[in-house]
């Protein structure tokens, strides 16, 4: 199994003092382990508010309609993504945003 | 797409996966094994070439928006967002043999050509093993009691599916017509309505006289008298003490009729629900129970939980001797009303640390005994860091102030279902390794009973130090309880995600059967010392709480109940719990 060449670096010196890009934020979050913690927090909040159960029900209904052997993961993602994104409670969005802001503030260069 | 092997459903591989396996030797995913990283805090498995790698799509540098997949053949990482673009699919379609990829954040196999998840037994076994090894590195060695770990056969006994019957409203048959006319007394009519309405209390509330340190019995009786399925059974005349075969001694009708605890229960139900409010003395019942449990026959104080267990056994014994009833499978609960109401099934998984082989056993249980957490010193950190279950305990780590170090029933249940490493003196004999190995044990609930009884281990008896003590620590318990997180299906899924398990992980989703939601209806509390204490029961009727202190019944505020020291808590399935209107039973 051969390994592909490493990707070229994306950050250049000019960007460091401007607003960090999405990629840079993402890297920071991953490397500090904060992304994992945020994912766990999000999972818990979505579980508490019943969002996960709603999505499960949507998937079940769709699968029942199409037949168990005619459904792929991509189909399910396609079907529930719009409804899923729209039905995340605002309080959950706000909480996560707040945490990300706090994290970025605490790790600002 | 799936086939049944020995009753287990295994997803069939897609043609691309089959092709991949055939072209890459006996261990096609061997290189991936080293890339499996188990990430705290949740213990989820991910795929990373280096531990701190930030995966990025090789074509578009995307790392944050889409799912990322690593091609199993060449380790290149691509994004996959089926609505927009999929560089993973592009890669798969451009190079034959590169259709199979793995989700880098979930460690799940995916076929880019089919657009669907695929499952491979060897790969999933490797992931499960990696997560287990990680668990031992972080789980503390606790001195857990060694339960007998019988090695199960290759699969558990076939658990019968619940038969569905169409609803038909009840119509009395000819015999019932007659007895309705002659012997039964209407619940509410002109003669006794005044008796009931004068006290404004719900049906079935009657004090029980203390016959000499019998508060242990009175407290349990009060709880059982208001256990909905049990109450319905006896009030529905399902066990008639006049017609009972056991008691009348079908073989020889001698004067010394054989004892039947169910008949005595029937008598108590009749007495307590008669409408008479003067305190009742369950002397006949006490005498019968002494005959059944001779070793406990005395006027000394007894343990209420011990009494509860021996009572259920006493009711069960009656039916076991009836040869006409075939022996039902363990935990089937069809043997007697006591088991029908209280019996659930616990599942115990013991996994060998070395090879991953897991032995699964199922045991029936009539209640769950929970340990109170050891003193935490208020920080709550010690319990959360070592957990495998992702969501619930992570809350403690995130919000240390949320429970403030108070023990909760959910906390105890979470501890009960936590994976623990068996101590080195309790090595389990692994079938595959053929030697004793260190193992990881995890309990979960396979089948919920109609009524869940939780017993808090407040009385510690140490035979070594020849002393006993009582643990007074406060335990917070909810009025509504959802048992879903403690079911076997939830426990396994939260630990490993979507996998084919190297052991029996396939079970019909228990939540399809009955609900997992429970409502509290009775709390038995203990106050005082181990050798000189008093039991009191709080009952929840018509959404009001009543304190049953031997002969004295008083209505109390729910805050009193919340603050009480719970010893045994009784929860009934929500679908069986009638939140009656406040006016029912009173005029």
């Amino acid at each position: 199994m051969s390994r592909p060449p490493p990707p070229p670096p994306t950050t250049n010196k000019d960007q460091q003092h401007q607003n960090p890009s999405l990629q840079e934020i993402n890297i920071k979050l991953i490397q500090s382990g904060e992304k994992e913690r945020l994912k766990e927090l999000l999972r818990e909040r979505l579980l508490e508010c019943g969002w996960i159960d709603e999505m499960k029900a949507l998937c079940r209904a769709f699968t029942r309609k199409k037949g168990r052997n005619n459904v792929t993961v991509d189909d399910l993602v396609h079907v529930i993504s719009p409804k899923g994104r729209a039905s995340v409670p605002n309080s959950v969005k706000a909480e996560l945003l707040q945490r990300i802001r706090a994290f970025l503030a605490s790790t600002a260069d | 797409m799936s086939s049944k092997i020995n009753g287990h459903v295994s997803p069939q591989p897609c043609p691309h996966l089959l092709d991949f396996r055939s072209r890459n030797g006996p261990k096609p995913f061997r290189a991936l094994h080293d890339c499996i990283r188990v990430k705290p805090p949740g213990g989820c498995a991910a795929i990373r070439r280096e531990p701190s790698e930030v995966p990025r799509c090789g074509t578009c540098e995307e790392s944050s928006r889409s799912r990322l997949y690593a091609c199993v053949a060449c380790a290149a990482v691509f994004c996959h967002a089926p609505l927009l673009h999929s560089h993973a699919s592009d890669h798969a379609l451009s190079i034959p043999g590169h259709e199979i990829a793995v989700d880098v954040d979930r460690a799940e196999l995916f076929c880019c050509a089919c657009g669907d998840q695929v499952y491979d037994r060897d790969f999933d076994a490797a992931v499960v093993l990696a997560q287990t090894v990680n668990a031992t590195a972080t789980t503390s060695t606790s001195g857990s009691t060694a339960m007998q770990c019988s090695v199960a056969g290759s699969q558990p006994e076939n658990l019968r599916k619940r038969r569905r019957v169409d609803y038909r409203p009840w119509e009395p048959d000819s015999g019932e017509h007659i007895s309705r006319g002659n012997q039964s007394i209407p619940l509410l009519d002109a003669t006794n309505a005044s008796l009931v309405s004068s006290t404004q209390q719900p049906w079935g509330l009657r004090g029980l006289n203390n016959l000499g340190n019998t508060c242990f019995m009175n407290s349990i009786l009060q709880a059982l008298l208001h256990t909905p399925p049990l109450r319905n059974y006896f009030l529905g005349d399902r066990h008639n003490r006049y017609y009972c075969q056991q008691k009348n001694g079908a073989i020889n009708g001698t004067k010394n009729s054989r004892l039947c605890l169910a008949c005595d229960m029937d008598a108590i139900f009749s007495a307590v629900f008669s409408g008479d409010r003067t305190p009742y003395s369950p002397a006949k019942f006490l005498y019968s129970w002494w005959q059944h449990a001779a070793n406990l026959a005395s006027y000394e104080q007894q343990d209420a939980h011990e009494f509860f267990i021996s009572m259920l056994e006493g009711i069960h014994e009656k039916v076991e001797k009836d040869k006409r009833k075939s022996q039902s499978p363990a935990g089937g609960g069809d043997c007697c009303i006591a088991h029908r109401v209280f019996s659930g099934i616990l599942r115990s998984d013991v996994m060998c640390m070395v090879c991953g082989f897991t032995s699964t056993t199922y045991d029936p249980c009539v209640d769950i005994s929970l340990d109170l957490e050891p003193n935490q010193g208020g920080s709550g950190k010690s319990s959360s860091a070592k957990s495998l279950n992702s969501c619930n305990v992570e809350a403690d780590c995130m919000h240390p102030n949320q429970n403030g170090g108070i023990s909760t029933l959910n906390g105890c249940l979470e501890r009960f279902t936590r994976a623990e490493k068996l101590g080195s003196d309790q090595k389990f004999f692994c079938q595959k390794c053929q030697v004793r190995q260190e193992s990881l044990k995890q309990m979960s609930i396979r089948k919920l009973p109609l009524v869940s009884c939780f017993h808090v281990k407040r009385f510690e008896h140490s035979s070594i130090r020849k002393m006993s003590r009582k643990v007074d620590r406060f335990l917070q318990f909810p009025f509504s309880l959802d048992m879903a997180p403690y079911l076997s299906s939830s426990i396994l899924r939260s630990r490993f995600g979507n996998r084919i398990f190297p052991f029996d992980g396939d079970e019909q989703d228990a939540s399809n059967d009955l609900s997992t939601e429970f409502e509290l209806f009775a709390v038995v509390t203990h106050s005082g010392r181990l050798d000189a204490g008093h039991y009191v029961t709080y009952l929840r009727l018509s959404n009001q709480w009543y304190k049953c202190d031997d002969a004295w019944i008083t209505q109390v505020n729910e805050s009193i109940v919340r603050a009480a020291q719970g010893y045994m808590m009784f929860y009934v399935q929500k679908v069986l719990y009638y939140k009656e209107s406040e006016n029912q039973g009173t005029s």
Side-chain angles (χ1 to χ4, degrees):
Chain A
M1 181 170 66
S2 61
R3 296 172 58 148
T10 50
T11 57
N12 53 33
K13 286 211 169 135
D14 296 343
Q15 271 190 323
Q16 271 174 2
H17 299 290
Q18 293 169 3
N19 286 331
S21 70
L22 182 61
Q23 296 277 55
E24 287 168 1
I25 295 176
N26 189 43
I27 293 171
K28 250 195 200 171
L29 286 172
I30 293 177
Q31 285 177 336
S32 63
E34 181 71 5
K35 194 169 189 194
E36 270 311 310
R37 288 192 285 270
L38 287 171
K39 273 192 186 172
E40 285 300 318
L41 174 63
L42 180 61
R43 241 176 240 134
E44 194 203 333
R45 291 287 176 262
L46 291 177
L47 181 71
E48 282 170 356
C49 70
W51 184 91
I52 291 189
D53 292 324
E54 258 182 68
M55 294 303 116
K56 264 197 206 163
L58 281 178
C59 289
R60 277 207 193 100
F62 180 77
T63 308
R64 240 178 251 134
K65 205 168 64 172
K66 291 274 301 265
R68 198 165 53 146
N69 296 335
N70 304 332
V71 170
T72 67
V73 166
D74 282 348
D75 292 339
L76 290 175
V77 170
H78 181 104
V79 161
I80 69 173
S81 286
K83 178 96 209 304
R85 284 194 200 281
S87 63
V88 175
N90 288 335
S91 57
V92 176
K93 289 184 193 167
E95 185 178 355
L96 280 211
L97 257 177
Q98 173 56 30
R99 271 195 70 115
I100 295 172
R101 276 203 196 100
F103 169 77
L104 289 175
S106 69
T107 60
D109 294 338
Chain B
M1 282 275 272
S2 59
S3 65
K4 272 194 158 68
I5 308 169
N6 293 334
H8 295 204
V9 178
S10 301
Q12 290 278 49
C14 73
H16 308 102
L17 179 61
L18 275 174
D19 196 41
F20 181 81
R21 284 201 65 114
S22 67
R23 274 187 289 106
N24 283 284
K27 291 196 177 170
F29 300 108
R30 183 190 44 235
L32 268 183
H33 292 192
D34 294 332
C35 301
I36 299 175
R37 317 272 172 197
V38 183
K39 299 179 145 220
C44 309
I47 300 287
R48 296 283 185 271
R49 284 172 293 189
E50 259 97 49
S52 56
E53 178 196 7
V54 176
R56 242 191 263 264
C57 176
T59 307
C60 66
E61 308 289 332
E62 178 60 50
S63 70
S64 48
R65 283 217 181 83
S66 339
R67 283 150 44 206
L68 291 170
Y69 287 92
C71 173
V72 178
C74 69
V77 176
F78 297 103
C79 65
H80 180 67
L83 296 174
L84 306 170
H85 53 252
S86 171
H87 295 130
S89 297
D90 295 342
H91 176 77
L93 295 172
S94 64
I95 311 180
H98 286 228
E99 296 91 1
I100 305 298
V102 61
D103 183 326
V104 298
D105 283 325
R106 292 175 186 81
E108 288 168 356
L109 293 177
F110 186 81
C111 174
C112 300
C114 299
D116 200 8
Q117 247 177 311
V118 291
Y119 299 90
D120 180 84
R121 192 168 289 275
D122 297 328
F123 177 71
D124 280 347
V127 174
V128 166
L129 187 59
Q131 285 179 295
T132 310
V133 170
N134 176 267
T136 57
T138 53
T139 307
S140 64
T141 48
S142 52
S144 60
T145 57
M147 290 178 38
Q148 66 264 33
C149 304
S150 54
V151 178
S154 56
Q155 70 184 79
E157 72 267 20
N158 193 20
L159 299 162
R160 231 168 38 194
K161 255 181 146 62
R162 211 177 287 272
R163 215 163 31 100
R164 296 209 170 190
V165 179
D166 289 333
Y167 170 73
R168 275 192 312 275
W170 172 80
E171 291 291 338
D173 62 23
S174 53
E176 283 161 345
H177 252 299
I178 296 171
S179 61
R180 261 175 103 196
N182 294 348
Q183 293 160 6
S184 62
I185 307 166
L187 284 177
L188 273 181
D189 71 357
T191 55
N192 64 16
S194 55
L195 192 68
V196 172
S197 62
S198 63
T199 51
Q200 291 280 331
Q201 274 185 347
W203 279 106
L205 268 189
R206 193 172 175 187
L208 298 171
N209 284 321
N210 189 315
L211 306 174
N213 280 330
T214 59
C215 59
F216 69 93
M217 178 180 78
N218 288 346
S219 56
I220 295 293
L221 279 180
Q222 291 286 12
L224 294 177
L225 283 166
H226 294 276
T227 297
L230 207 60
R231 174 200 65 202
N232 298 346
Y233 178 85
F234 282 102
L235 289 183
D237 205 29
R238 299 292 299 280
H239 186 104
N240 190 312
R241 60 189 179 276
Y242 302 112
Y243 298 139
C244 175
Q245 295 281 11
Q246 167 85 355
K247 213 180 68 172
N248 296 338
I251 305 166
N252 47 349
T254 61
K255 254 208 151 190
N256 299 334
S257 50
R258 284 153 64 179
L259 80 94
C260 173
L261 279 180
C263 287
D264 299 316
M265 279 297 298
D266 188 45
I268 298 183
F269 269 99
S270 296
V272 165
F273 281 85
S274 65
D276 188 352
R277 298 288 180 185
T278 59
Y280 175 73
S281 293
K284 172 78 177 66
F285 183 87
L286 179 64
Y287 181 64
S288 297
W289 178 67
W290 276 347
Q291 289 180 294
H292 167 73
N295 57 323
L296 300 172
S298 73
Y299 277 112
E300 284 171 11
Q301 297 195 17
Q302 307 287 355
D303 180 13
H305 177 248
E306 239 184 299
F307 171 75
F308 172 69
I309 299 293
S310 94
M311 239 203 85
L312 294 187
E313 275 170 15
I315 294 179
H316 171 78
E317 242 174 53
K318 179 234 180 242
V319 191
E320 208 171 20
K321 291 179 183 152
D322 188 343
K323 294 183 199 70
R324 274 170 296 164
K325 275 209 164 83
S326 59
Q327 201 65 1
S328 59
D334 291 338
C335 47
C336 64
I337 182 62
H339 283 114
R340 177 79 186 96
V341 174
F342 289 102
S343 185
I345 300 177
L346 285 181
R347 171 183 165 140
S348 165
D349 290 305
V350 181
M351 180 186 274
C352 171
M353 304 298 350
V354 173
C355 70
F357 173 79
T358 303
S359 157
T360 303
T361 52
Y362 293 97
D363 291 302
C365 66
V366 292
D367 66 355
I368 297 182
S369 291
L370 299 168
D371 288 299
L372 276 172
E373 294 145 21
N375 273 321
Q376 289 177 345
S379 68
K381 270 198 296 190
S382 55
S383 59
S384 50
K386 297 153 189 169
S387 162
L388 293 177
N389 291 346
S390 51
C391 299
N392 289 335
V393 184
E394 188 47 34
D396 295 338
C397 206
M398 292 288 199
H399 307 277
N401 296 322
Q402 206 168 50
N403 63 359
I406 295 178
S407 303
T408 65
L409 182 66
N410 286 89
C412 290
L413 282 169
E414 188 270 324
R415 283 180 81 242
F416 180 76
T417 52
R418 187 180 293 181
E420 341 176 46
K421 189 166 152 204
L422 295 179
S424 47
D425 53 334
Q426 294 162 1
K427 284 188 184 171
F428 173 69
F429 183 82
C430 173
Q431 291 276 55
K432 213 160 125 189
C433 301
Q434 290 291 312
V435 289
R436 290 194 173 275
Q437 302 280 22
E438 294 203 327
S439 327
L440 200 67
K441 184 174 124 195
Q442 187 165 34
M443 303 291 303
S444 56
I445 302 179
R446 166 68 179 102
K447 180 180 153 226
L448 290 165
L450 294 183
V451 175
S452 288
C453 171
F454 298 111
H455 163 237
V456 179
K457 292 186 192 167
R458 289 192 180 278
F459 301 117
E460 294 179 351
H461 304 283
S462 166
S463 50
I464 307 158
R465 281 179 279 168
K466 286 219 187 331
M467 63 176 227
S468 312
R469 68 183 189 100
K470 183 190 171 198
V471 181
D472 272 310
R473 185 161 357 104
F474 174 69
L475 178 76
Q476 194 186 72
F477 48 88
F479 284 9
S480 301
L481 178 66
D482 188 356
M483 293 294 288
Y486 315 110
L487 292 177
S488 302
S489 47
S490 309
I491 297 281
L492 291 173
R493 200 172 299 131
S494 73
R495 242 182 112 183
F496 300 115
N498 299 317
R499 308 275 159 225
I500 299 177
F501 290 103
F503 50 92
D504 167 42
D506 169 55
E507 300 167 344
Q508 65 186 103
D509 201 358
S511 60
N512 285 339
D513 267 321
L514 289 171
S515 155
T516 55
E517 292 175 57
F518 284 76
E519 286 291 315
L520 178 69
F521 66 92
V523 182
V524 173
T525 65
H526 183 271
S527 52
R529 299 200 315 268
L530 186 129
D531 52 340
H534 186 55
Y535 289 101
V536 162
T537 299
Y538 292 93
L539 293 176
R540 186 181 181 195
L541 302 168
S542 307
N543 238 4
Q544 299 271 25
W545 282 97
Y546 297 89
K547 177 179 175 183
C548 304
D549 184 351
D550 285 331
W552 294 273
I553 311 244
T554 47
Q555 186 174 337
V556 294
N557 194 299
E558 70 166 54
S559 54
I560 303 271
V561 182
R562 286 196 196 277
Q565 190 186 87
Y567 178 57
M568 292 173 74
M569 278 78 75
F570 292 81
Y571 289 82
V572 66
Q573 299 232 355
K574 195 169 158 184
V575 294
L576 301 174
Y577 177 71
Y578 310 126
K579 280 198 184 153
E580 301 148 8
S581 68
E582 293 187 24
N583 291 331
Q584 169 136 359
T586 64
S587 183

